[in-house]
Amino acid sequence: MNIEIAAICDAATANDIGGRMNILGAFDRIFAKFPLVIPQCSAAFRLRYQRSEAGSHQLNLSIEDVVGHPIVPPMQSEIQLQEVAQGFDTAAVNMILNMQRLQFARPDKYIVRLFADNEELAALPLYVLEDPRFAQQKPQEPTTDDGTVDGRA
């Protein structure tokens, strides 16, 4: 099995007719204020497989920090890869996971990992960083007309 497409995005759709996948707003970094809640996003994958790989497979998707701690419970499912049609050497399947209210407590590098039958197929980095505009917004101390700090505040 090979991954042809792997993306974290704002949204994704797929249809069975022709195997088309639509990806909107693929990204690998977010600049935000913390704690962060992403209202909605998707993980989109297109998996190509050989005739011999048709059948049932166990899929696992995890989102972890860099030391391997999951930020959400790992998602597990079973997928049935259809027989490769006559006249074709391979087939492909689109997989989309829509996520709601994904939460990040702190800035860090995170990794979205996809496994099939305990073999890692994709590892996507997701950099969730402090927005520099928020880091620069420190409360200013009151000053007097001559620019010195006013200690009355």
Side-chain angles (χ1 to χ4, degrees):
M1 284 183 247
N2 295 317
I3 292 290
E4 289 185 336
I5 298 172
I8 304 164
C9 54
D10 293 329
T13 62
N15 75 23
D16 292 332
I17 301 170
R20 287 183 167 84
M21 177 188 292
N22 303 297
I23 297 173
L24 178 65
F27 59 91
D28 70 349
R29 64 198 69 195
I30 299 171
F31 294 94
K33 186 176 179 179
F34 291 87
L36 168 66
V37 176
I38 301 175
Q40 198 272 309
C41 65
S42 300
F45 302 95
R46 182 175 175 88
L47 177 68
R48 176 143 319 262
Y49 60 96
Q50 303 291 320
R51 186 175 302 282
S52 62
E53 296 171 310
S56 182
H57 296 273
Q58 184 68 38
L59 291 181
N60 294 304
L61 182 80
S62 65
I63 305 173
E64 308 167 347
D65 63 18
V66 290
V67 294
H69 297 117
I71 63 164
V72 296
M75 293 152 260
Q76 300 177 350
S77 68
E78 193 166 306
I79 187 170
Q80 186 69 31
L81 299 180
Q82 302 299 317
E83 294 292 325
V84 176
Q86 287 292 70
F88 293 89
D89 298 330
T90 63
V93 63
N94 296 320
M95 298 175 289
I96 298 170
L97 174 66
N98 295 311
M99 297 173 278
Q100 306 288 320
R101 302 198 45 80
L102 193 56
Q103 298 180 26
F104 298 92
R106 66 183 190 287
D108 206 341
K109 175 184 175 185
Y110 297 89
I111 303 169
V112 177
R113 297 182 188 279
L114 176 67
F115 294 87
D117 301 327
N118 295 319
E119 177 186 342
E120 186 173 80
L121 298 179
L124 301 173
L126 177 58
Y127 302 93
V128 182
L129 307 169
E130 184 79 35
D131 189 322
R133 294 173 295 181
F134 294 120
Q136 292 174 0
Q137 290 180 355
K138 295 179 182 172
Q140 294 184 352
E141 297 181 34
T143 59
T144 61
D145 291 335
D146 65 0
T148 59
V149 174
D150 183 354
R152 294 179 284 166

